[in-house]
Amino acid sequence: MMRLKDLMARDVVAVSPDLTLRELVELLAEQEVSGAPVVAPNGRVIGVISTTDIFDFRQETAGTRLSGSGETESPGGSRKRSGHSTFTEAWDPAESEALEWMRTTREADWDILDEYVVADVMTREVVSQPSSATVKKAARYMLDAGVHRVLVIDGGELQGIVTTTDVVRAVAEGQLSG
């Protein structure tokens, strides 16, 4: 039975919570990934950021601007994150299209991607499994959690990452059996 340690990518693109969303988008596009773990300076994983998080955030803050005090101003009231917005439920863009849109978008007087950092947008609930977990268990876990990646963490340390693409590739190549 295949374990996560046999399938995981060990060279993980991890990001700082202080990275601006613009810098994040450029990094994701450059590395050709759609998300990354967020790691504190002490090396502890504190969240995950993905293109879905950025799209949700962008949709929820449309028309919102930072005031001089750093507080947000919104024509519709306070900002509220729901986890999934109507925007991403109604339109599920290909990841490459999403990255391209985020990398090239600029508004005339204000660019939200330069105004916020990863910590403002990241998902704080970390979906993880130990490296000894079976790929089947991790796939079920990702399906139940509605996520496209699971972090592989042993003893509190990030060991790797397994994505839905990794699982599909393993199935297609006959590496996984019933």
Side-chain angles (χ1 to χ4, degrees), residues 23-139:
E23 293 167 325
L24 171 69
V25 166
E26 290 171 358
L27 177 66
L28 294 179
E30 176 185 302
Q31 296 294 316
E32 297 180 348
V33 296
S34 63
V38 181
V39 179
N42 66 3
R44 195 177 112 241
V45 177
I46 59 171
V48 177
I49 186 83
S50 71
T51 56
T52 300
D53 294 321
I54 297 167
F55 268 110
D56 285 351
F57 178 77
R58 177 63 185 101
Q59 179 63 21
E60 292 165 4
T61 57
T64 304
R65 297 193 62 177
L66 283 178
S67 68
S69 67
E71 296 177 355
T72 59
E73 301 170 356
S74 173
S78 63
R79 182 176 81 82
K80 193 174 175 184
R81 296 212 50 224
S82 66
H84 293 291
S85 72
T86 304
F87 178 73
T88 54
E89 289 171 359
W91 180 58
D92 185 22
E95 290 175 351
S96 62
E97 291 175 8
L99 289 172
E100 181 62 22
W101 175 84
M102 289 185 292
R103 190 174 67 232
T104 60
T105 189
R106 291 240 182 233
E107 296 175 4
D109 62 338
W110 173 66
D111 183 1
I112 195 169
L113 298 179
D114 288 325
E115 298 290 339
Y116 289 91
V117 296
V118 167
D120 296 327
V121 179
M122 71 184 190
T123 299
R124 295 183 187 282
E125 182 180 334
V126 176
V127 177
S128 68
Q129 291 284 296
S131 63
S132 60
T134 64
V135 173
K136 183 176 180 176
K137 178 182 177 188

